[in-house]
Amino acid sequence: NFFNMCGPFSATTLTGGKIYDSGGGSGIYNNNENCNFLITPGCVQKIVLKFSAFNLESSYDYLKVYDGATTSSRLLLNATGSFIPDSIVATSGKMLLVFTSDGSITNSGFD
């Protein structure tokens, strides 16, 4: 299963899959993105997010990951730049991803 987190579906209850930014698996993301994607598999308490690629405009475009369903939940990751983050683990049974980009310069993004 593949999900474009900036596409028409902003959530999944599946227990596995790949999540991409608006550029998909092989393109660049768009300017002025503000996308949320919620993972709520229901029967699973521990959610693991692994990155195989990460390249955002440093200090201007960000991916934030929360251990819960809202931005008030515990922040697990606030990433920018091209360093591939370590695996992220949410233990609340829900994980919220928030991706933002500014109005200029886009890169290959993440998956």
Side-chain angles (χ1 to χ4, degrees):
N1 298 310
F2 298 93
F3 302 98
N4 179 331
M5 72 173 287
C6 297
F9 301 104
S10 59
T12 184
T13 57
L14 297 176
T15 57
K18 281 192 156 205
I19 301 171
Y20 297 105
D21 55 71
S22 60
S26 60
I28 60 173
Y29 57 84
N30 296 314
N31 288 320
N32 301 310
E33 295 279 28
N34 187 5
C35 310
N36 295 339
F37 192 84
L38 181 61
I39 303 168
T40 57
C43 60
V44 177
Q45 285 299 112
K46 183 174 156 183
I47 301 169
V48 180
L49 179 66
K50 297 178 183 179
F51 294 92
S52 58
F54 198 91
N55 187 12
L56 305 180
E57 181 189 12
S58 185
S59 300
Y60 295 94
D61 302 340
Y62 292 90
L63 177 67
K64 295 181 180 182
V65 179
Y66 297 89
D67 187 357
T70 70
T71 56
S72 298
S73 303
R74 184 170 59 101
L75 181 64
L76 300 174
L77 176 72
N78 184 6
T80 187
S82 59
F83 180 76
I84 297 176
D86 291 334
S87 294
I88 306 300
V89 178
T91 57
S92 69
K94 298 176 183 176
M95 180 183 278
L96 177 66
L97 287 72
V98 178
F99 174 58
T100 57
S101 65
D102 68 355
S104 65
I105 304 177
T106 56
N107 289 333
S108 56
F110 57 86
D111 64 278

